[in-house]
Amino acid sequence: RCSQCAIAYYGSPTEPGGQCQPCSCNNNINVDDPDACDRRTGVCLKCLFNTAGGNCETCRPGFYGDAFGPEKCVACDCGIGGVPD
């Protein structure tokens, strides 16, 4: 039995009935980065494409768009008061 889950997977493989499941980061992490997802809890730690949240499901502050879509999140281009520059 393995003592921890593989990169981009989480769970408790050493506990009876424990298993590993894929991290639910909405394709917004580097699946080759061992620190991108907490291997115990599944919380996404290094969201890419200007996304944020425990599952990389929202845009970072100062960005807008669709964290799930192909364009992801893009920088806001607003002046003072939220009016476009």
Side-chain angles (χ1 to χ4, degrees), residues 7-8 29-30 32-39 43-47:
I7 296 171
I29 61 167
N30 177 353
D32 295 323
D33 183 343
D35 299 320
C37 167
D38 186 297
R39 292 190 199 183
V43 171
C44 306
L45 303 172
K46 289 185 172 180
C47 299

Side-chain angles (χ1 to χ4, degrees), residues 76-85:
C76 294
D77 187 20
C78 297
I80 296 173
V83 179
D85 286 337

Side-chain angles (χ1 to χ4, degrees), residues 7-46:
I7 296 171
Y9 284 77
Y10 77 99
S12 302
T14 58
E15 294 178 9
Q19 59 183 350
C20 296
Q21 301 175 51
C23 293
S24 188
C25 300
N26 298 299
N27 297 318
N28 290 330
I29 61 167
N30 177 353
V31 295
D32 295 323
D33 183 343
D35 299 320
C37 167
D38 186 297
R39 292 190 199 183
R40 183 95 171 138
T41 65
V43 171
C44 306
L45 303 172
K46 289 185 172 180

